[in-house]
């Protein structure tokens, strides 16, 4: 008589503990690669957004000084004319309070550990052509010194 099931000694199916451990290690390695890639993607995305905000500020400044007929000089209310709701550069909401930012306040940097700052003065100086109006840094706190969120000159774009 033949049994419908294979005998316990021959034909057993399943995974040994070593095989299961190897599979788990491979899965953990793949998950680690995904997290590393996601971090690099986020840093690249933050850098791109920072460059776009700097570019928008530069274009807004140059447009405004052309329309108003300003020259390279000091204008006390220049940031108020550029940053804010319905201005050249919308500055959004404050990260800490969630309230709209006031007129003349710089937008938040895409990376939470950095901030934007005016290159010269309090934003009241029209820089010469070829010089950035805002950049990352000055008054901001930089916790990761190996991360350069944006270039220091427009020629590095």
């Amino acid at each position: 008589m033949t049994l419908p099931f294979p005998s316990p000694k021959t034909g057993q199916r399943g995974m040994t503990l070593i095989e299961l451990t190897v599979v788990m290690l491979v899965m953990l390695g793949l998950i680690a690669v995904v997290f590393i890639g996601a971090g690099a993607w986020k840093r690249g995305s933050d850098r791109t957004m920072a460059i776009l905000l700097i570019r928008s500020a530069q274009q807004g400044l140059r447009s405004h000084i052309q329309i108003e007929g300003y020259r390279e000089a000091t204008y006390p209310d220049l940031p108020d004319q550029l940053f804010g709701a319905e201005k050249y550069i919308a500055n959004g909401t404050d990260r800490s309070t969630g309230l709209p930012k006031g007129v003349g306040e710089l937008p938040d940097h895409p990376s939470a550990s950095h901030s934007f700052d005016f290159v010269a003065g309090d934003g009241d100086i029209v820089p010469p052509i070829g010089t950035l109006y805002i950049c990352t840094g000055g008054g901001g706190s930089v916790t990761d010194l190996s991360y350069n969120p944006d270039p220091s000159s427009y020629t590095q774009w």
Side-chain angles (χ1 to χ4, degrees), residues 34-151:
V34 167
F35 278 114
I36 291 169
W41 175 81
K42 175 72 170 109
R43 284 190 303 276
S45 174
D46 287 348
R47 183 178 192 275
T48 301
M49 190 63 179
I51 289 173
L52 288 175
L53 285 168
I54 291 171
R55 180 178 174 265
S56 295
Q58 198 73 9
Q59 286 180 329
L61 170 73
R62 295 296 166 201
S63 297
H64 184 69
I65 63 174
Q66 288 295 321
I67 290 169
E68 298 295 325
Y70 290 170
R71 299 289 176 249
E72 292 176 19
T74 301
Y75 301 95
D77 60 345
L78 189 57
D80 296 343
Q81 297 172 16
L82 295 174
F83 299 100
E86 300 182 16
K87 303 281 184 182
Y88 289 96
I89 300 103
N91 51 8
T93 58
D94 192 325
R95 245 188 218 129
S96 59
T97 63
L99 299 173
K101 286 190 160 207
V103 172
E105 292 184 49
L106 289 171
D108 285 332
H109 195 282
S111 173
S113 61
H114 295 79
S115 65
F116 287 118
D117 199 5
F118 295 108
V119 173
D122 293 325
D124 53 356
I125 299 172
V126 175
I129 292 177
T131 304
L132 295 178
Y133 181 58
I134 66 170
C135 67
T136 295
S141 62
V142 178
T143 56
D144 182 7
L145 298 177
S146 65
Y147 169 56
N148 180 18
D150 55 68

